[in-house]
Amino acid sequence: MHKRIVNQAIIKLVISPVGPLLIKASDQGADPTKPDMEFVETYHAGGRSVYLPGSSLKGAIRAHSERIVRTIGGDSSGGQNVWSCDPLNQHSPCRGLRDIHEEDTAAIYKNSCTICQIFGSTDIAAHARVTDAYPTDTTEIQREERNGVAIDRIYGSVAVGPFNFEVLTAGEFATKIIVKNFTTAQLALIALAIRDFDKQRVGLGFAKSRGLGHVNMKVKRVEIRYPTAIVNNGKLQTLGHHSKQFNSGEVIIGAGELIGGDDQQTYGFPESDVVDSVIPPEIDEFGLGATLVFDTSDNITALWSGCVGTWRQIVQGA
Ligand SMILES: [Zn+2]
């Protein structure tokens, strides 16, 4: 099933700094006329532009999702269905699964932790990816140079400096989180992480512990897609091997329900994974595939509340 896409969520969000934000360029120091640490830049829309790299955003969302999971579950499965490994640990239970289970993707997925199932590991491909975030309006971008002293992150001593660094203080960046073959609980976890960034409970980028990196992170639109479903009298119906007809209103459907059969068990997907919504599924062009669009804040809140309900049930059952 790993080569198939049974569902896909496209979460469009905008990120704007609340106070100084710095995401370091990887090639810092290459140009002696530039600040020691400056904002990452790339060519976009015909000009040179600052941007927030998708890999950094994904890393931050992953790290905070890990925190959320660890406060509930442990760091090994031990019979729990919600847990997170430590990806930096060489002996993490999520490492070496490819050796144990050979090319059995279902077994590798099932035995990976809640976080690796979403964001990937050395042994399984990620189901979620985050695109680079580009300014919605380059004229709104404000950059400032600051003086600072880098604090060695481990020993707390002064490692280098003083040096100059550049921060962003204003602007808005648009990005997308794309999750394929999701469970509704996985969407909930991502939504909870986004909420915590938006409420500035956690920061993004460099020197978070010194108060940098507070942002607003607002979801503007969510599209839920089912590439192999059709809409029949307003009801979703999946086609193919395990064709299923869903009831009216049963429209947010996890991967386990969609693949059905033995695959649901071999991947360890929850048995029942459907969230109701008033948003009607629309048939895609050419008559195959269905899409739901959530583009008001009320609709998006209702979507996340439904998914968080599933997450809460799983956590309570852990
Ligand atoms: Zn893991």
Side-chain angles (χ1 to χ4, degrees):
M1 97 139 273
H2 61 288
K3 291 202 171 74
R4 290 194 276 150
I5 297 181
V6 292
N7 64 16
Q8 193 180 34
I10 300 160
I11 304 163
K12 295 186 179 177
L13 50 139
V14 293
I15 300 169
S16 42
V18 178
L21 170 67
L22 171 63
I23 294 185
K24 286 191 282 183
S26 54
D27 60 344
Q28 50 175 293
D31 181 347
T33 66
K34 297 231 166 158
D36 300 316
M37 285 204 289
E38 61 170 354
F39 228 79
V40 283
E41 286 188 343
T42 190
Y43 288 93
H44 175 68
R48 205 159 162 75
S49 157
V50 292
Y51 75 108
L52 313 179
S55 56
S56 302
L57 297 173
K58 185 182 163 193
I61 293 167
R62 176 185 184 128
H64 187 57
S65 302
E66 257 176 60
R67 274 181 223 121
I68 296 172
V69 165
R70 282 233 186 80
T71 58
I72 297 160
D75 56 7
S76 65
S77 63
Q80 302 182 89
N81 49 16
V82 172
W83 65 286
S84 169
C85 72
D86 175 0
L88 301 177
N89 183 347
Q90 290 292 329
H91 305 290
S92 144
C94 292
R95 289 201 178 201
L97 290 173
R98 190 162 286 280
D99 295 334
I100 300 167
H101 300 288
E102 296 178 341
E103 294 308 307
D104 185 350
T105 318
I108 297 170
Y109 181 90
K110 187 176 185 174
N111 288 287
S112 294
C113 74
T114 309
I115 294 299
C116 290
Q117 285 180 342
I118 305 171
F119 298 99
S121 70
T122 51
D123 291 56
I124 47 167
H127 282 204
R129 64 191 178 90
V130 183
T131 65
D132 292 337
Y134 292 106
T136 51
D137 181 352
T138 51
T139 63
E140 287 174 1
I141 300 289
Q142 279 177 29
R143 303 160 72 160
E144 287 175 19
E145 207 171 301
R146 300 280 172 98
N147 292 312
V149 173
I151 307 296
D152 186 296
R153 296 180 71 185
I154 297 167
Y155 299 105
S157 56
V158 176
V160 280
F163 66 105
N164 299 325
F165 61 99
E166 192 184 34
V167 291
L168 267 182
T169 53
E172 186 182 81
F173 295 81
T175 185
K176 276 186 263 187
I177 303 174
I178 300 153
V179 198
K180 64 172 185 181
N181 298 336
F182 63 79
T183 68
T184 61
Q186 290 174 344
L187 292 189
L189 191 52
I190 291 169
L192 291 170
I194 293 171
R195 180 200 64 186
D196 286 353
F197 280 105
D198 186 52
K199 296 205 179 289
Q200 288 123 48
R201 291 171 184 156
V202 276
L204 205 60
F206 179 72
K208 293 187 285 289
S209 60
R210 290 192 291 150
L212 262 66
H214 288 163
V215 294
N216 279 137
M217 208 182 262
K218 303 274 183 217
V219 176
K220 294 291 184 187
R221 181 186 169 97
V222 182
E223 286 173 23
I224 307 275
R225 290 186 179 156
Y226 305 101
T228 55
I230 57 166
V231 183
N232 207 341
N233 292 324
K235 298 172 185 174
L236 271 175
Q237 184 184 337
T238 57
L239 301 177
H241 211 52
H242 295 285
S243 175
K244 232 184 223 183
Q245 167 97 55
F246 292 90
N247 292 322
S248 148
E250 292 182 339
V251 284
I252 304 149
I253 303 162
E257 285 271 344
L258 293 165
I259 58 173
D262 292 343
D263 272 354
Q264 183 175 334
Q265 258 113 57
T266 55
Y267 277 87
F269 283 123
E271 261 176 52
S272 168
D273 194 9
V274 178
V275 169
D276 288 3
S277 171
V278 295
I279 300 295
E282 307 255 351
I283 193 92
D284 289 352
E285 58 187 343
F286 310 135
L288 177 62
T291 302
L292 286 89
V293 176
F294 301 79
D295 57 2
T296 68
S297 97
D298 284 355
N299 289 342
I300 292 166
T301 301
L303 165 66
W304 293 155
S305 300
C307 293
V308 169
T310 315
W311 170 247
R312 222 168 39 214
Q313 278 173 15
I314 289 174
V315 168
Q316 284 169 342

